[in-house]
Amino acid sequence: MPSAKKADSATSPVRDIVVIGASTGGIQALLELVRTLPHDFPASIFVVQHVAPYAPSLLPELLSRESALPAKHPRDGEQMRPGVIYVAPPDQHLLIEQDKVLVKSGPKENRFRPSIDALFRSAAYGYGPRVIGVVLTGYLDDGTSGLWSIQRLGGVTVVQAPEDAAAPFMPLNALEFVTADHVVPLAELSALLVRLTAEPASATPA
């Protein structure tokens, strides 16, 4: 007889979409995070890190060097795969839709391109309870409305503990408007993501 956990997994979606937003201090935070993610991490990871619009980004190379998972700037329209870290290119929005990664040069959103809110919202509306949204260190408030959308549509919301962040303002702004499911220091984030991806998600938004 199958276990209750297996039966639940068969009828519930899995959390296989992780979206992460970061700004000031984010590169170091992301490097620390990916160092401890396992090589068989089952979810696709999408990252918006605010960078200068016309400077080349070496973030995928830096992350790949530190992580057991490959990181890349995706091509527009490529199929998303689990266990891959997709990084928004400079001055391009990163979106997901119908299991494809979209890279678009649309208008700035919330003063930014790439925009954390744009990524988070596309994940929330496309994948609902399958999404884990993470706001890391940074200034201003990009990511707050997107995290709210993720929670409203049944996803899990995670915010770096403000006192642990190099720049606490993005986490503080997110927590002002979203009652996050988890508020954790960076050192605990990898283990939390592994646990959340192993749990079945709700079949429908709350």
Side-chain angles (χ1 to χ4, degrees):
M1 174 180 278
S3 68
K5 183 174 182 180
K6 287 183 179 177
D8 288 345
S9 298
T11 58
S12 299
V14 294
R15 297 189 183 111
D16 57 353
I17 307 288
V18 178
V19 290
I20 302 174
S23 187
T24 305
I27 292 176
Q28 274 309 121
L30 289 165
L31 290 172
E32 183 175 336
L33 169 62
V34 303
R35 283 188 191 111
T36 51
L37 288 174
H39 68 90
D40 57 351
F41 188 72
S44 305
I45 301 173
F46 301 87
V47 174
V48 167
Q49 163 68 48
H50 292 157
V51 293
Y54 301 110
S57 170
L58 299 177
L59 186 54
E61 289 86 346
L62 294 173
L63 295 176
S64 293
R65 193 180 305 159
E66 298 292 331
S67 177
L69 305 175
K72 63 187 298 188
H73 287 315
R75 301 184 315 276
D76 181 44
E78 76 172 83
Q79 197 80 14
M80 67 186 195
R81 295 185 290 120
V84 177
I85 304 169
Y86 299 97
V87 180
D91 207 32
Q92 301 280 303
H93 290 308
L94 179 67
L95 310 169
I96 52 176
E97 183 178 299
Q98 297 180 341
D99 294 344
K100 295 187 184 301
V101 189
L102 307 182
V103 180
K104 302 296 182 184
S105 57
K108 290 182 179 180
E109 186 163 332
N110 199 18
R111 303 175 297 276
F112 293 105
R113 187 176 54 232
S115 162
I116 301 168
D117 283 328
L119 169 63
F120 282 18
R121 192 176 59 251
S122 75
Y125 279 91
Y127 299 93
R130 292 167 56 185
V131 179
I132 303 168
V134 182
V135 170
L136 298 179
T137 174
Y139 286 101
L140 301 177
D141 59 356
D142 194 19
T144 295
S145 70
L147 199 69
W148 181 86
S149 295
I150 289 171
Q151 188 167 69
R152 185 169 67 89
L153 292 167
V156 176
T157 53
V158 181
V159 176
Q160 183 179 5
E163 66 274 12
D164 181 65
F169 303 101
M170 268 177 34
L172 286 169
N173 275 300
L175 292 173
E176 184 176 351
F177 294 96
V178 179
T179 303
D181 298 300
H182 303 275
V183 180
V184 295
L186 195 60
E188 298 178 15
L189 181 55
S190 174
L192 175 63
L193 293 178
V194 170
R195 176 168 65 81
L196 290 173
T197 55
E199 297 172 351
S202 300
T204 56

